Amino acid sequence: MTTVALKPATMAQALGRAMRDAMAADPSVHVMGEDVGTLGGVFRVTDGLAKEFGEDRCTDTPLAEAGILGTAVGMAMYGLRPVVEMQFDAFAYPAFEQLISHVARMRNRTRGAMPLPITIRVPYGGGIGGVEHHSDSSEAYYMATPGLHVVTPATVADAYGLLRASIASDDPVVFLEPKRLYWSKDSWNPDEPPAVEPIGRAVVRRSGRSATLITYGPSVPVCLEAAEAARAEGWDLEVVDLRSLVPFDDETVSASVRRTGRAVVVHESGSFGGPGGEIAARVTERCFHHLEAPVLRVAGFDIPYPPPMLERHHLPGVDRILDAVGRLQWEADS
Amino acid sequence: MTVMEQRGAYRPTPPPAWQPRTDPAPLLPDALPYRVLGTEAAAQVDPGLLRRLYAELVRGRRYNTQATALTKQGRLAVYPSSTGQEACEVAAALVLEDRDWLFPSYRDTLAAVARGLDPVQALTLLRGDWHTGYDPREHRIAPLCTPLATQLPHAVGLAHAARLKGDDVVALALVGDGGTSEGDFHEALNFAAVWQAPVVFLVQNNGFAISVPLAKQTAAPSLAHKAVGYGMPGRLVDGNDAAAVHQVLSEAIAHARAGGGPTLVEAVTYRIEAHTNADDATRYRGDAEVETWRGHDPIALLEHELTERGLLDDETIRTAREDAETMAADLRERMNQDPVLDPMDLFAHVYAQPTTQLLEQETQLRAELDAEDAAADGHAGHHGPEGAGR
Ligand SMILES: Cc1ncc(C[n+]2csc(CCOP(=O)(O)OP(=O)(O)O)c2C)c(N)n1
């Protein structure tokens, strides 16, 4: 038996590897978007794909998001599996009509005759010092659209596994890539990439007994850090990484909150009309009699994404999370 | 030292030579819409094709009047009639091979029916029992598309995919004059030309987008001129001349099939009826204009040509009309039956596997239906498929 040394890989490399493996396994998988070919994408996530598979399978498209997604619809209608890259979160907005009016509902309007297996990769979220329109968290828009899956990895292994699962899915998937985690690293065996996780399962990243932090994507490492810091305060926090916003894993989330009796939802996007409201409502409906305190939200402010020099005030950080945990009506305080 | 400071050191040269990628001349449309009927070109057209077009036009007109009547009887929620535009609809259907794809808009039910789709299936969207009443892959007809011009990039993507797979397939996409102002129109044409996709765009310029006339829609010399900027040929054709539309589209399809890339065809026609039954056309156009266009009726044009050349006898006319009546009677009868609907279908096709959230909602609806049944029967019973009960 040979042991292969574990090698460090970044999330960006793991995503690229997932596309590569999917393209090698299935000739119908096509990657398309702005600068995805020769350049390998502005984040180099598609690096090497055009070289390995040719420009017909990894295509630099004209600069037009509606056109990219609209043509991907036609390609999927003809049996291909397009993997579309939207260069940045806020630049996916021109494609919203195609997304909402066609991608999300083609299966439904054709009574199941015409599913669209399209994966839409969207680098999202802040924390990288990007200028305006490069840091939006647009997940609430996608979550509000029936017919779409909405997936967001927080670890290198999940980036690989969830992207493979998304490309294999017969339903359209909006795959949100936390861009500030693109360079986060993990060690894995490149010859035996992590197993493909099914879409729709949350995972307990850290178990604890005092309260549950419910989070996803870029906020997962922040919550883990907060949980470590909370030990000094005597709190033993559980961290649930949702991984998939649609479908939503009520079971894992509710089981955790029933154990701990307290919950804080943490995400970067704004709280008003944001994912946290939906999650808090679901938790309350299911766990009311187990709750010791209202479900709180720690989110970005309800403002257009701020300029880079101010973004640290906007993004939910460890202190803000610990403040919220402190407000969870602990018996000692009441 | 910066360039700005190097006074005198920088010697300006003329800009590097630049050449347009394509000579626009061969791409430009004719100044006037191309015609066949009533010209010498008509003699070249196969009489069999002319008779076929005639029969289809008669059938198409009857289909439009029948569907409009069904709206008045409350059997259709809405019907955007293509009366006056039948030549475009019929030609669009007839120029395609079975393996080709048609991408219709909401006004193009007739094109779908002329391609062979069951008229009742073609009307589900407008009746309201489901969004698309047919399997698009089975008929190679995309779902009738309501958001303007959004079907055009689909046609491009499909044609591109077919070519990548080595299949000899062409896509024909239909759009109205108003739809050409949408961003998706632009993006679709641009992608098609860059990819040299085997796709043909047919603009049915029927003069109005609901109430807005073409002059308020575009400042272009013609809609066909728009092709030139993308690097594809533009063709302008008389949209009421079935032989001309058929010929121009056939050439464009053959060009695409041979690897020549996309074509934009503008067919100049007129919408005789209001936009839909919900529209009042008298608010934005006069009777005189409509009457002028009635004088250029697609069926009358073809009938005249066929009669002049002795190609149309009473027998052919009678057969065409009888066929059309049979179709209309059958449509009437079938549309007068209430469609059978299963409310549980609401949840059946949202995802390949319903989410737990949808399963919960499904259970809720099932319970509501059972309670309705119980109230109706006096006892709880299974709630099966039901009529719409208009
Ligand atoms: C994106 C979008 N905007 C607005 C509408 C509402 N609408 C329906 S038909 C129509 C006019 C379309 O005119 P045209 O493209 O010329 O086609 P026609 O109805 O004349 O066949 C409008 C504005 C729509 N269906 N889609």
Side-chain angles (χ1 to χ4, degrees):
Chain A
M1 204 176 94
T2 49
T3 37
V4 185
L6 292 181
K7 287 186 187 158
T10 64
M11 182 182 279
Q13 286 165 339
L15 292 165
R17 179 63 188 257
M19 280 182 273
R20 192 216 153 263
D21 290 355
M23 290 172 90
D26 179 354
S28 66
V29 176
H30 283 241
V31 169
M32 55 199 283
E34 294 157 11
D35 305 290
V36 297
T38 312
L39 184 67
V42 292
F43 293 105
R44 306 292 180 273
V45 175
T46 56
D47 198 16
L49 297 181
K51 208 166 191 180
E52 184 171 351
F53 297 100
E55 290 186 14
D56 278 349
R57 291 198 53 205
C58 178
T59 308
D60 279 331
T61 63
L63 214 168
E65 291 74 15
I68 295 169
L69 191 52
T71 51
V73 169
M75 291 164 71
M77 287 170 91
Y78 204 76
L80 300 186
R81 285 186 180 267
V83 181
V84 163
E85 176 174 308
M86 294 285 152
Q87 203 157 64
F88 280 91
D89 32 54
F91 306 140
Y93 301 150
F96 259 45
E97 183 180 27
Q98 284 293 340
L99 186 74
I100 287 158
S101 297
H102 294 296
V103 174
R105 59 176 101 190
M106 188 67 87
R107 171 189 289 280
N108 186 256
R109 62 206 276 242
T110 61
R111 272 202 159 119
M114 189 161 260
L116 292 181
I118 303 177
T119 303
I120 302 149
R121 297 179 35 242
V122 189
Y124 84 120
I128 61 158
V131 296
E132 203 184 2
H133 304 129
H134 287 74
S135 301
D136 284 17
S137 294
S138 25
E139 57 269 32
Y141 305 133
Y142 302 115
M143 286 172 72
T145 304
L148 301 176
H149 289 306
V150 185
V151 170
T152 177
T155 67
V156 175
D158 269 3
Y160 179 89
L162 290 172
L163 186 51
R164 285 297 303 268
S166 301
I167 296 171
S169 166
D170 284 335
D171 286 316
V173 180
V174 177
F175 192 87
L176 298 168
E177 301 176 359
K179 53 174 114 58
R180 74 171 133 132
L181 299 184
Y182 269 148
W183 303 280
S184 65
K185 280 190 185 160
D186 208 342
S187 292
W188 60 330
N189 175 355
D191 295 325
E192 228 172 273
V196 177
E197 298 279 342
I199 294 174
R201 304 253 175 87
V203 65
V204 176
R205 288 272 172 233
R206 180 193 195 279
S207 40
R209 284 169 298 114
S210 314
T212 303
L213 301 180
I214 305 165
T215 189
Y216 55 87
S219 296
V220 171
V222 186
C223 285
L224 290 171
E225 203 187 324
E228 282 309 307
R231 282 164 33 160
E233 312 282 334
W235 293 314
D236 179 20
L237 301 183
E238 180 145 309
V239 177
V240 174
D241 174 1
L242 295 172
R243 306 204 281 196
S244 159
L245 297 167
V246 184
F248 188 83
D249 185 352
D250 281 310
E251 210 181 310
T252 303
V253 172
S254 307
S256 171
V257 178
R258 285 192 193 124
R259 274 197 303 275
T260 62
R262 293 177 168 86
V264 180
V265 189
V266 182
H267 57 61
E268 279 186 30
S269 78
S271 65
F272 191 88
E278 173 64 31
I279 296 167
R282 304 191 74 79
V283 168
T284 308
E285 284 167 1
R286 280 164 183 72
C287 312
F288 185 72
H289 294 294
H290 297 80
L291 283 173
E292 308 284 342
V295 181
L296 299 183
R297 285 169 290 173
V298 176
F301 295 128
D302 295 317
I303 55 174
Y305 198 85
M309 293 175 82
L310 294 172
E311 68 179 344
R312 69 186 178 87
H313 301 292
H314 168 75
L315 294 172
V318 171
D319 289 345
R320 206 170 280 162
I321 295 168
L322 292 180
D323 276 355
V325 174
R327 282 186 277 121
L328 286 174
Q329 301 182 8
W330 301 100
E331 271 144 44
D333 305 344
S334 56
Chain B
M1 201 194 299
T2 70
V3 172
M4 298 294 282
E5 289 158 349
Q6 273 180 351
R7 187 175 280 273
Y10 175 73
R11 292 196 204 299
T13 59
W18 180 84
Q19 290 293 321
R21 302 213 189 141
T22 312
D23 174 5
L27 305 179
L28 277 166
D30 299 337
L32 290 174
Y34 176 71
R35 293 200 173 104
V36 168
L37 300 178
T39 74
E40 280 171 15
Q44 311 300 317
V45 186
D46 169 23
L49 174 65
L50 291 179
R51 286 208 203 88
R52 170 119 197 259
L53 286 169
Y54 177 75
E56 288 290 344
L57 287 184
V58 171
R59 216 171 105 96
R61 174 70 46 93
R62 188 66 189 89
Y63 176 83
N64 275 328
T65 51
Q66 186 56 60
T68 304
L70 287 165
T71 326
K72 294 191 178 120
Q73 293 152 17
R75 283 283 163 188
L76 284 176
V78 66
Y79 185 70
S81 165
S82 58
T83 291
Q85 303 178 218
E86 291 96 338
C88 301
E89 298 281 313
V90 160
L94 297 195
V95 293
L96 297 179
E97 303 287 342
D98 281 351
R99 62 186 179 281
D100 295 333
W101 274 74
L102 180 72
F103 285 78
S105 82
Y106 55 86
R107 195 178 295 285
D108 304 314
T109 30
L110 180 52
V113 170
R115 184 161 167 74
L117 189 64
D118 174 356
V120 173
Q121 288 188 345
L123 287 172
T124 33
L125 173 79
L126 302 165
R127 170 157 70 171
D129 51 318
W130 201 259
H131 301 309
T132 303
Y134 53 93
D135 179 348
R137 263 193 262 269
E138 185 187 336
H139 301 277
R140 313 262 194 329
I141 302 172
L144 295 172
C145 186
T146 309
L148 294 169
T150 54
Q151 75 279 20
L152 305 182
H154 305 171
V156 177
L158 182 133
H160 177 64
R163 205 177 53 145
L164 289 178
K165 285 192 172 188
D167 294 346
D168 177 29
V169 166
V170 178
L172 171 61
L174 308 179
V175 66
D177 42 297
T180 65
S181 301
E182 289 280 357
D184 279 45
F185 172 82
H186 157 67
E187 296 191 23
L189 265 68
N190 192 46
F191 269 71
V194 171
W195 285 351
Q196 287 289 288
V199 58
V200 175
F201 303 98
L202 173 61
V203 182
Q204 294 181 62
N205 171 7
N206 65 10
F208 291 89
I210 306 188
S211 65
V212 179
L214 187 68
K216 287 188 188 171
Q217 202 68 245
T218 180
S222 78
L223 296 171
H225 274 81
K226 295 194 175 212
V228 183
Y230 299 103
M232 73 174 78
R235 299 294 311 272
L236 189 60
V237 62
D238 182 338
N240 288 20
D241 179 337
V245 184
H246 189 277
Q247 186 182 325
V248 168
L249 284 181
S250 298
E251 284 167 9
I253 300 267
H255 183 71
R257 216 184 284 289
T263 302
L264 173 66
V265 179
E266 175 188 356
V268 184
T269 181
Y270 195 77
R271 162 161 67 66
I272 293 292
E273 306 290 336
H275 171 65
T276 66
N277 49 302
D279 169 43
D280 173 11
T282 63
R283 293 181 77 118
Y284 53 84
R285 67 186 192 188
D287 288 346
E289 182 182 298
V290 184
E291 282 316 306
T292 312
W293 276 96
R294 279 191 204 278
H296 192 63
D297 182 90
I299 301 179
L301 281 180
L302 193 50
E303 206 168 81
H304 182 73
E305 177 82 37
L306 287 166
T307 314
E308 289 274 289
R309 290 176 46 200
L311 294 170
L312 195 66
D313 51 27
D314 293 349
E315 175 66 19
T316 315
I317 297 178
R318 200 174 53 244
T319 315
R321 290 192 184 151
E322 278 170 13
D323 278 358
E325 277 316 317
T326 310
M327 180 272 303
D330 176 63
L331 179 59
R332 209 165 41 232
E333 193 194 311
R334 289 166 65 209
M335 290 296 288
N336 276 325
Q337 293 158 17
D338 290 333
V340 176
L341 304 177
D342 182 355
M344 299 320 287
D345 259 10
L346 289 175
F347 301 101
H349 309 295
V350 184
Y351 297 102
Q353 304 291 331
T355 59
T356 44
Q357 292 78 33
L358 279 180
L359 289 173
E360 284 165 14
Q361 292 167 15
E362 199 177 341
T363 309
Q364 181 191 342
L365 179 60
R366 162 69 60 202
E368 286 171 11
L369 294 172
D370 286 348
E372 269 177 31
D373 278 355
D377 307 353
H379 67 278
H382 174 73
H383 189 100
E386 56 171 0
R390 275 168 196 278

